[in-house]
Amino acid sequence: MPWFPKLALLLIALPVLFIVVLICRDKGFNPMVAAGLMHDSSQPTSDALLGGLLPPDIRRKSCLSRYQSISYHKSSPHKPSPYLVSKLREYEKLHKRCGPYTKSYKKSIKELVSGQIDSSSNCRYVVWLANCGLGNRILSMTSAFLYALLTDRVLLINEESDMSNMFCEPFPDASWILPEDFPFMNQLYSFGRDYAQSFGNMLENRMINTSTELLPSCLYLYLSHDYDHHDKLFFCDQEQAILRNIPWLIMKANIYFLPSLFLMSSFEEELSKLFPDKEMVFHHLGRYLFHPSNQVWKLITSYYKKYLAKAEERIGIQIRIFDNKTSPVEHVMDQILTCTDKEKLLPRVDMGKSIVAPSGKGKSKAVLITSLVPYYYEKMMNMYSKHPTLNGEVVAVYQPSHEEEQQSENNVHNQKAWAEINLLSMMDVLVTSAWSTFGYVAQGLGGKKPWILYKIENKTIPDPVCGRAKSLEPCFHAPPVYDCKAKREVDTATIIPYLRHCEDIYWGIKLFNSTYY
């Protein structure tokens, strides 16, 4: 066709196409989107917003995982309370008003440096400092955020290089990263249990109490696994009355201290409204706060699509060994196989036969193993790739990485660990290791009660080898053992009906919905 007729046809077609697009847009349908020529810019669905947990107005390209993760998880039947949703929207406004680089933040920094307290200021802060591995960090950050939510404070994270490019910013139009020019940045790294200006040490030395008139503009809170009695007075209402008037709290934490907030009468009513379902606290807050960065999300989705997507059922097995001498790999392997067989999670194999050619007829299962060592993957992969299963199921075994040892200060290591936590959360079934915060985070994000591999002691496999978690909540490994009202030692798992001892650590406490455990 000569060029002139082509041009004439194009000039006729373009206005018609434009009119069609306008008409269809008014009716809620975009043919360009349907044809794959444009991306849909409409608001995310209720499922994508996790029942209202997520704000709808964050730019999606800056954090692909925030609204795409629903495609890799089954829709959660556990919906957040309307009160929690409204409280999160209120917090986002507070963070936007008081967050880094705002006028209010700059004013607060000047007051911090001068040591003066402006009682009329509406901006108060909790600064979280990292300690220990990734699972511990995520759980302690969640605890710090709930504390900030309860006390109308802004949570800021001291992001060190080993945490860079791990998470998306959780709040719209504001950052939760503590600016590098924070005036006491150098002092943060020297803060520890014995720091003279910590809240616990000041209480012990009677340098501060409820009648102190001249309060400091900043206090240090030490809430890590090795904290002492005076540090734990943080969980008492009387001591909270002191903290309420201090604008800046610097918190170093590596534990999921969140359950002990439920012991405090000053927070009781608010917590009941926020979380009528006590077993879903981390499930809701974790999915609200922690979204993989685009770089980590690419690792997650590419691995999932390549190895896991086509399986009819996916089983995640998370293995964490704390003492190789008392828990030899052979014992752990026996424990895993016994558990998955007993609970009918994986089929037995006929060790007397070899696979000549894959049948491809039985149900397909993909097993995702996360471990620092390749031993368990190699054993299970060889077993299922060389021998047929007794029920005809086809089992494929995968392991994304084996770093040999934990490297909490290595950013690449942490990105891999974060990717594996998310992959585990996408599995249909979970088997996790006792005591492991890595496993706690995966089960909470995925909303799945795992089968827990009980800890092997002195080379003796426990009986039973595993058991189903009764509550989805993570375990608080180092709870206080003090009744603030009676002023005496007490088992804090006996004070309120929805706090009980953990299934995997008898001295730990966690949240339950009832008293059945």
Side-chain angles (χ1 to χ4, degrees):
M1 183 183 291
W3 69 270
F4 181 77
K6 288 183 180 178
L7 179 61
L9 182 62
L10 182 62
L11 291 174
I12 295 171
L14 280 176
V16 174
L17 180 60
F18 180 71
I19 293 171
V20 170
V21 169
L22 287 178
I23 294 172
C24 293
R25 186 187 65 178
D26 291 339
K27 293 185 177 181
F29 173 75
N30 192 331
M32 302 292 279
V33 172
L37 301 176
M38 290 174 57
H39 291 293
D40 188 2
S41 59
S42 61
Q43 292 293 315
T45 64
S46 176
D47 279 349
L49 295 177
L50 307 182
L53 275 180
L54 305 182
D57 51 354
I58 295 183
R59 289 180 296 123
R60 277 181 273 179
K61 287 184 179 179
S62 65
C63 183
L64 297 173
S65 65
R66 193 187 314 275
Y67 302 122
Q68 289 182 6
S69 65
I70 187 67
S71 301
Y72 295 84
H73 293 90
K74 291 182 178 178
S75 182
S76 174
H78 312 290
K79 305 303 179 187
S81 68
Y83 188 76
L84 173 59
V85 171
S86 66
K87 190 75 173 180
L88 292 176
R89 299 295 87 83
E90 289 175 14
Y91 174 85
E92 290 158 5
K93 293 176 183 176
L94 174 67
H95 199 107
K96 186 176 181 179
R97 186 175 73 249
C98 299
Y101 311 111
T102 61
K103 288 183 180 180
S104 298
Y105 174 82
K106 293 174 182 177
K107 181 175 180 290
S108 296
I109 288 293
K110 288 181 181 179
E111 294 169 2
L112 172 64
V113 174
S114 68
Q116 297 177 347
I117 297 178
D118 182 358
S119 58
S120 65
S121 175
N122 293 320
C123 297
R124 296 178 300 156
Y125 301 86
V126 177
V127 177
W128 175 88
L129 307 182
N131 196 4
C132 284
L134 180 61
N136 295 70
R137 295 184 189 194
I138 290 174
L139 294 179
S140 63
M141 277 193 279
T142 306
S143 302
F145 176 70
L146 180 56
Y147 179 69
L149 203 64
L150 292 168
T151 56
D152 296 319
R153 292 179 180 271
V154 168
L155 174 65
L156 299 178
I157 303 299
N158 181 37
E159 184 185 69
E160 299 180 32
S161 59
D162 56 18
M163 286 182 63
S164 65
N165 203 22
M166 294 269 293
F167 308 109
C168 298
E169 291 278 4
F171 314 123
D173 303 318
S175 176
W176 71 340
I177 305 301
L178 182 71
E180 293 182 359
D181 61 357
F182 182 72
F184 302 135
M185 186 65 79
N186 291 334
Q187 294 182 24
L188 299 184
Y189 300 103
S190 62
F191 168 46
R193 185 177 61 178
D194 299 326
Y195 190 69
Q197 300 303 311
S198 73
F199 186 46
N201 286 327
M202 292 181 74
L203 287 173
E204 184 177 14
N205 296 319
R206 300 181 180 179
M207 298 169 61
I208 193 170
N209 55 48
T210 52
S211 60
T212 302
E213 294 184 3
L214 190 59
L215 292 169
S217 58
C218 175
L219 259 184
Y220 291 82
L221 305 172
Y222 189 76
L223 299 177
S224 291
H225 66 282
D226 58 345
Y227 60 165
D228 64 18
H229 167 71
H230 288 90
D231 293 315
K232 295 175 186 178
L233 294 177
F234 169 84
F235 300 111
C236 293
D237 288 299
Q238 183 176 342
E239 279 63 35
Q240 280 296 318
I242 303 172
L243 298 177
R244 196 175 299 126
N245 299 312
I246 297 174
W248 287 86
L249 300 178
I250 313 295
M251 177 186 292
K252 191 166 192 175
N254 68 359
I255 48 180
Y256 186 64
F257 64 80
L258 183 153
S260 282
L261 298 177
F262 284 77
L263 290 169
M264 302 164 67
S265 57
S266 56
F267 297 148
E268 184 178 4
E269 182 180 353
E270 185 76 355
L271 286 169
S272 294
K273 292 191 291 184
L274 289 169
F275 303 106
D277 188 340
K278 300 295 186 293
E279 295 184 12
M280 295 299 141
V281 181
F282 180 74
H283 180 59
H284 293 322
L285 295 184
R287 293 183 305 148
Y288 171 73
L289 289 172
F290 303 107
H291 304 278
S293 66
N294 286 351
Q295 181 174 329
V296 177
W297 186 240
K298 185 176 181 180
L299 293 176
I300 295 165
T301 54
S302 59
Y303 193 91
Y304 185 94
K305 291 173 183 175
K306 185 175 182 179
Y307 298 109
L308 306 170
K310 294 180 180 179
E312 295 174 76
E313 185 178 19
R314 289 164 284 273
I315 297 95
I317 302 178
Q318 180 263 332
I319 306 164
R320 179 70 166 96
I321 306 303
F322 296 93
D323 189 338
N324 290 322
K325 292 182 180 178
T326 60
S327 303
V329 291
E330 298 85 0
H331 288 57
V332 177
M333 189 74 246
D334 289 343
Q335 182 186 25
I336 293 169
L337 294 176
T338 302
C339 176
T340 54
D341 174 49
K342 176 189 172 187
E343 302 298 339
K344 301 189 184 320
L345 306 179
L346 288 172
R348 294 183 182 183
V349 298
D350 187 342
M351 298 299 290
K353 295 181 180 179
S354 298
I355 294 177
V356 178
S359 66
K361 295 179 180 179
K363 181 179 181 180
S364 63
K365 289 188 175 184
V367 178
L368 177 76
I369 292 179
T370 64
S371 172
L372 291 171
V373 298
Y375 175 85
Y376 310 102
Y377 158 73
E378 291 169 354
K379 282 286 186 182
M380 191 170 284
M381 186 271 292
N382 285 332
M383 184 176 77
Y384 282 112
S385 64
K386 294 181 179 179
H387 306 284
T389 60
L390 294 180
N391 63 1
E393 291 180 342
V394 179
V395 180
V397 185
Y398 306 100
Q399 181 175 2
S401 71
H402 46 86
E403 299 284 285
E404 298 296 340
E405 61 182 20
Q406 187 169 335
Q407 305 167 50
S408 300
E409 298 179 359
N410 183 312
N411 182 241
V412 174
H413 172 88
N414 285 335
Q415 287 192 20
K416 290 179 181 178
W418 182 219
E420 291 183 12
I421 286 175
N422 279 273
L423 285 169
L424 283 171
S425 76
M426 297 170 180
M427 300 299 98
D428 301 307
V429 176
L430 272 182
V431 178
T432 62
S433 296
W435 299 27
S436 175
T437 55
F438 194 101
Y440 294 161
V441 175
Q443 73 190 44
L445 294 179
K448 300 174 184 70
K449 294 179 181 179
W451 276 266
I452 303 170
L453 297 167
Y454 297 131
K455 195 169 185 290
I456 295 176
E457 301 280 2
N458 300 318
K459 300 182 180 181
T460 302
I461 298 176
D463 183 17
V465 295
C466 65
R468 190 77 182 271
K470 294 181 174 64
S471 167
L472 188 61
E473 273 291 291
C475 179
F476 180 10
H477 290 181
V481 289
Y482 184 70
D483 186 328
C484 300
K485 294 178 181 177
K487 297 189 183 303
R488 61 180 176 84
E489 286 193 2
V490 68
D491 181 355
T492 46
T494 64
I495 296 177
I496 54 178
Y498 39 84
L499 270 183
R500 288 288 180 268
H501 287 298
C502 309
E503 303 95 334
D504 55 336
I505 301 181
Y506 67 86
W507 63 84
I509 62 173
K510 65 188 291 187
L511 290 161
F512 290 83
N513 273 333
S514 65
T515 59
Y516 60 75
Y517 181 71

